């Protein structure tokens, strides 16, 4: 038996160590995971109640069209319900786009480093990958435009970007969109949209009125705190979404995910609270970095990338042995940095105390 050649050079996604494994390995009674950009404040109580109410219906397949949540999201973002496509997390929308649009005779353009699933899925489809290095942690939009040619099918723009937390202001995004050829799909990945506070962050949904070649990705996994249920969505033009819809698996969002998302959208007070607390948490890290002269990127997400000028794996291991799981920058394209999810005020204070010990060594 033989699998695709391009799979031989790929590694499956490797999640961080589970909390239970770390507890056992280092004989710890408490372990805090700040590695996957999950919401430390959980999720809306309304979503919890909706999940409990739905447990009586687990024998039934979910609505394959995601009809009710579709209407709810459409109203929330201000589009027609047929301008939405739902996925098992926004990760699956990325996979659907790649399946629908990429092949061995095409190429795709993206920043580097950025969210790795763009490249991963494009490689599986055999497409040529054109990576454009970040400049000072920012997308080099001019260089990305130069990388586009007649065989380009998709350009990926992660804003705010993972793993840097940086964003593309409206004054830079609009000229970029204006210059992308009409045959190229621009994917704006806004997984951290609900955390953004920057005044010049563009409102992307109205841009759909001008650009047919645009899809916006959002998710319920981050600020909404529903990562375990796996539900995200794409927003685009009806005709385009109808063309890529056949690449979507049937029943790809569960009943629990759909009802939880509906309830979560109704509780915007929870999102506002999480956004405010996240800003306070980021400030804790900013103050620490400033005091110890550590380089970092100001973040519009719920994580921060800090450069310790030492191997990221070394910082990672130091924290792991003391009960904090973070992400080493070695796997993210920043080998002397670590990416830390903003936790609760108390969790942030605890890990910062440990980091003070580390930098004092």
């Amino acid at each position: 038996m033989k699998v695709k050649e391009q799979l031989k050079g790929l590694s499956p996604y490797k999640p961080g160590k589970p909390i239970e494994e770390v507890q056992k390995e280092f004989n710890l009674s408490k372990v805090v995971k700040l590695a996957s950009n999950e919401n430390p404040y959980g999720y809306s109580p309304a979503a919890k109640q909706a999940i409990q109410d739905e447990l009586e219906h687990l024998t039934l397949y979910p609505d394959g069209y995601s009809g009710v949540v579709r209407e709810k999201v459409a109203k929330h973002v201000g589009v027609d319900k047929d301008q939405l496509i739902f996925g098992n997390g926004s990760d699956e929308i990325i996979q659907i786009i790649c399946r629908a649009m990429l092949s061995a005779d095409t190429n795709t353009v993206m920043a580097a480093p950025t969210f790795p699933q763009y490249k991963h899925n494009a490689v599986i489809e055999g497409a040529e990958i054109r990576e454009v290095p970040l400049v000072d942690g920012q997308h080099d939009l001019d260089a990305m435009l130069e990388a586009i040619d007649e065989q380009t099918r998709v350009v990926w723009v992660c804003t705010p970007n993972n793993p840097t937390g940086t964003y593309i202001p409206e004054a830079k995004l609009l000229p970029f969109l204006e210059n992308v050829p009409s045959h190229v799909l621009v994917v704006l990945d806004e997984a951290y949209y609900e955390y953004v506070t920057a005044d010049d962050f563009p409102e992307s949904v109205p841009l759909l009125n001008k650009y047919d070649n645009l899809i916006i990705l959002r998710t319920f996994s981050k600020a909404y705190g529903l990562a375990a249920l796996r539900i995200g969505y794409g927003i685009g033009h009806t005709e385009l979404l109808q063309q890529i819809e056949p690449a979507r698996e049937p029943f790809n969002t569960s009943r629990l995910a759909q009802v939880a998302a509906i309830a979560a959208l109704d509780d915007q007070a929870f999102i506002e609270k999480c956004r405010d607390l996240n800003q306070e948490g980021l400030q804790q890290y900013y103050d620490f970095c400033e005091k110890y002269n550590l380089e970092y990127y100001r973040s519009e997400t719920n994580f921060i990338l800090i450069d310790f000028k030492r191997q990221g794996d070394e910082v990672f291991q130091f924290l792991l042995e003391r009960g904090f799981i973070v992400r080493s920058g070695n796997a993210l394209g920043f080998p002397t940095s670590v990416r830390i999810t903003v936790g609760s005020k108390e969790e942030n204070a605890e890990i910062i105390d440990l980091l003070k010990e580390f930098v004092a060594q």
Side-chain angles (χ1 to χ4, degrees):
M1 293 182 288
K2 190 174 181 180
V3 300
K4 288 181 176 180
E5 284 296 318
Q6 53 265 37
L7 287 177
K8 295 180 180 178
L10 285 179
S11 298
Y13 179 77
K14 295 179 181 178
K17 285 189 175 184
I19 290 174
E20 296 78 10
E21 184 179 329
V22 175
Q23 285 178 312
K24 183 177 180 181
E25 181 177 355
F26 298 105
N27 193 29
L28 298 167
S29 59
K30 175 186 174 184
V31 172
V32 178
K33 181 186 175 191
L34 297 176
S36 300
N37 308 332
E38 295 146 331
N39 190 337
Y41 302 104
Y43 55 97
S44 168
K48 182 176 183 179
Q49 184 60 53
I51 292 168
Q52 291 174 337
D53 293 344
E54 191 64 24
L55 291 176
E56 298 298 321
H57 306 293
L58 296 188
T59 56
L60 302 176
Y61 281 109
D63 175 4
Y65 183 65
S66 304
V68 180
V69 68
R70 177 182 296 272
E71 291 187 6
K72 195 76 174 182
V73 171
K75 183 178 180 180
H76 178 71
V77 300
V79 297
D80 185 81
K81 63 182 181 180
D82 292 331
Q83 288 183 258
L84 297 169
I85 183 170
F86 286 84
N88 186 10
S90 55
D91 282 356
E92 191 189 20
I93 308 297
I94 294 167
Q95 182 186 59
I96 290 169
I97 291 168
C98 289
R99 290 177 69 182
M101 304 199 67
L102 298 179
S103 58
D105 58 347
T106 66
N107 69 69
T108 182
V109 176
M110 64 196 70
T114 192
F115 187 54
Q117 289 305 106
Y118 313 143
K119 181 177 181 179
H120 185 92
N121 284 286
V123 168
I124 292 173
E125 300 305 325
E128 176 193 351
I129 313 300
R130 297 185 176 180
E131 295 180 286
V132 178
L134 298 174
V135 176
D136 296 327
Q138 301 279 353
H139 282 62
D140 187 345
L141 297 179
D142 290 338
M144 292 177 73
L145 286 171
E146 291 176 5
I148 295 172
D149 62 21
E150 288 301 317
Q151 281 68 51
T152 306
R153 294 295 176 267
V154 184
V155 174
W156 306 90
V157 180
C158 187
T159 181
N161 188 42
N162 184 1
T164 57
T166 54
Y167 72 102
I168 301 172
E170 184 175 61
K172 292 185 176 181
L173 180 64
L174 296 185
F176 173 77
L177 292 175
E178 194 66 30
N179 285 284
V180 173
S182 60
H183 73 275
V184 177
L185 175 65
V186 178
V187 180
L188 284 183
D189 188 345
E190 297 182 343
Y192 297 91
Y193 172 81
E194 287 79 12
Y195 283 115
V196 174
T197 61
D199 292 336
D200 58 347
F201 187 85
E203 280 299 335
S204 54
V205 173
L207 298 176
L208 293 168
N209 295 325
K210 185 174 183 180
Y211 300 104
D212 295 340
N213 58 332
L214 179 63
I215 287 182
I216 303 155
L217 304 185
R218 293 185 184 168
T219 182
F220 287 93
S221 296
K222 303 304 180 185
Y224 286 98
L226 300 177
L229 295 183
R230 312 305 301 124
I231 181 166
Y233 57 97
I235 317 167
H237 280 264
T238 302
E239 182 179 354
L240 173 61
L241 297 186
Q242 287 176 342
Q243 290 177 357
I244 70 172
E245 183 79 20
R248 180 181 64 82
E249 295 294 331
F251 308 118
N252 63 329
T253 60
S254 71
R255 297 186 70 95
L256 297 183
Q258 291 182 28
V259 297
I262 291 166
L265 281 174
D266 279 336
D267 192 358
Q268 289 302 305
F270 173 79
I271 298 299
E272 292 171 11
K273 177 183 177 181
C274 290
R275 184 188 302 116
D276 291 343
L277 290 170
N278 184 68
Q279 285 297 307
E280 294 175 9
L282 282 170
Q283 191 62 51
Q284 289 178 269
Y285 289 101
Y286 295 159
D287 292 344
F288 160 70
C289 291
E290 296 292 340
K291 182 176 180 179
Y292 288 88
N293 296 314
L294 297 171
E295 294 181 4
Y296 66 97
Y297 296 110
R298 293 192 70 86
S299 177
E300 290 295 331
T301 67
N302 68 331
F303 62 80
I304 185 169
L305 187 72
I306 304 174
D307 188 352
F308 288 88
K309 302 300 181 185
R310 291 162 72 172
Q311 275 296 311
D313 285 351
E314 185 182 348
V315 187
F316 167 83
Q317 190 65 29
F318 177 88
L319 293 172
L320 187 69
E321 293 174 4
R322 290 156 180 80
F324 281 87
I325 308 172
V326 298
R327 282 297 302 273
S328 169
N330 285 75
L332 303 173
F334 292 88
T336 61
S337 300
V338 294
R339 192 192 70 191
I340 304 172
T341 302
V342 177
S344 68
K345 182 178 181 179
E346 295 74 23
E347 290 168 345
N348 298 332
E350 289 178 32
I351 196 172
I352 286 171
D353 283 343
L354 291 174
L355 290 172
K356 288 177 181 178
E357 290 182 29
F358 180 83
V359 298
Q361 292 180 344

